[in-house]
Amino acid sequence: MNMLDGVLRDLAEESEWLDSYVTGLPSRAWLTVTTPEGWTVAHQIGHLHDTDLLALAAVVDPEAFAKEARAASDDPVKRIDTGADELAQLGRDELMTRWRAGRASLASALADAAEGRRIPWFGPSMGAASMATARLMETWAHGHDVVEATGGTVVPTPRARHVCHLGVRARDFAHASRGELPPEVDVRVELTGPDGDLWTWGDPSATDRVTGQGHDFALLATRRRHLDDVDVHAEGPTATHWLTLVQAFAGPAGNDPLRLADRYPSDRDTAPALKRGRIRTARGARGSGDG
């Protein structure tokens, strides 16, 4: 199995896991608010479908995608919100049917993409494997939003390694998005997967290092957790600073997430806390990659 096949397999598994979860929710949970901006579960699925269609256009019709990207460039957040909101108005069954068909079409198009081809995107262009990884990251991150808002539990899986990979590879972009010059110092990253495997990136001899749990690093890199609430640690000034701004997606710098104690007060349930805008997430995280 080559790298693209492996990522597509994991993308399918991540999508099917979220599909199964939201399908099993009661109808009223579909309207659960998941972000302070007011996104519901329906908005989250609508957003995933919307961005799947954008990715599909980038693969099969680059000119149409370029036109869409130009139209969105003046106000990308508005484009994200509009796409999610329009699709959220569909009936639950209709939206789920469209999402399933759209992600299947994208997977087929990526599988057929010529080796070495660069696919345009809102950030850097990328290969098919990186595009699939970016879609997995989006599904993983927004899936966490849905599950946490509806009181479910996310069981860590090795699929989080793909999210961590984007977080590591997008290190220079994370600095640049905040107006900083990317540091020339290498950072060694060693993360432990849920099955005990060690995930590594960077020069083993680098003195700046990041260590910890892979699932926690993925939450940090998708701006779903505050640094103080994850089992991720840095040694050295470059690594320490990077963890304050790490992000696994292209586009503007993500919000600084609140502490868990502020996100989920012990005397209140999750959904009202979300409605009061206490949970901050990175909306519309766009994947960045260079594979």
Side-chain angles (χ1 to χ4, degrees):
M1 180 182 297
N2 62 31
M3 182 172 65
L4 175 58
D5 289 341
V7 179
L8 288 174
R9 176 204 62 202
D10 287 351
L11 171 59
E13 290 180 359
E14 191 69 29
S15 300
E16 289 162 6
W17 171 82
L18 179 57
D19 187 317
S20 177
Y21 182 84
V22 297
T23 300
L25 290 173
S27 298
R28 64 181 181 278
W30 197 248
L31 301 178
T32 300
V33 178
T34 63
T35 73
E37 297 84 8
W39 275 21
T40 64
V41 171
H43 284 84
Q44 296 279 3
I45 301 303
H47 170 68
L48 289 175
H49 177 51
D50 183 40
T51 46
D52 278 346
L53 294 182
L54 287 171
L56 178 62
V59 178
V60 303
D61 193 348
E63 291 186 4
F65 171 77
K67 181 178 180 180
E68 180 72 29
R70 287 192 298 271
S73 62
D74 290 340
D75 193 342
V77 172
K78 181 179 179 180
R79 168 62 183 81
I80 291 168
D81 285 341
T82 299
D85 189 61
E86 289 178 352
L87 289 165
Q89 308 311 310
L90 296 174
R92 173 176 174 168
D93 291 345
E94 176 66 18
L95 178 53
M96 291 299 293
T97 297
R98 292 193 189 189
W99 180 40
R100 290 164 184 154
R103 68 189 198 232
S105 295
L106 174 59
S108 178
L110 288 172
D112 291 341
E115 184 175 355
R117 177 188 164 192
R118 306 299 294 181
I119 300 170
W121 196 235
F122 295 94
S125 64
M126 61 186 83
S130 283
M131 175 64 83
T133 305
R135 298 310 306 145
L136 192 156
M137 180 274 296
E138 282 256 16
T139 306
W140 189 94
H142 291 288
H144 273 69
D145 294 343
V146 168
V147 174
E148 292 185 353
T150 54
T153 300
V154 177
V155 177
T157 73
R159 296 191 295 272
R161 188 183 189 283
H162 299 291
V163 184
C164 296
H165 178 74
L166 286 184
V168 173
R169 297 303 296 269
R171 181 165 72 100
D172 286 355
F173 182 87
H175 285 278
S177 69
R178 291 161 174 79
E180 300 178 3
L181 290 175
E184 297 181 0
V185 176
D186 195 10
V187 175
R188 173 68 170 180
V189 179
E190 297 182 350
L191 304 171
T192 303
D195 52 5
D197 286 352
L198 188 64
W199 305 341
T200 63
W201 295 266
D203 185 351
S205 66
T207 55
D208 276 75
R209 308 176 73 82
V210 168
T211 58
Q213 296 298 314
H215 186 84
D216 281 17
F217 182 86
L219 287 168
L220 183 66
T222 52
R223 314 300 288 181
R224 263 63 186 177
R225 285 291 187 275
H226 191 281
L227 178 58
D228 292 341
D229 290 318
V230 293
D231 183 6
V232 180
H233 313 281
E235 299 177 30
T238 299
T240 298
H241 179 56
W242 174 42
L243 288 189
T244 68
L245 49 81
V246 60
Q247 64 182 59
F249 49 90
N255 291 331
D256 186 17
L258 298 179
R259 294 294 310 277
L260 282 176
D262 294 324
R263 289 170 53 130
Y264 302 115
S266 59
D267 61 336
R268 297 180 175 91
D269 63 28
T270 301
L274 282 158
K275 292 176 183 177
R276 289 193 300 275
R278 302 187 65 144
I279 297 181
R280 303 176 70 192
T281 62
R283 283 181 303 167
R286 297 191 182 106
S288 171
D290 54 11

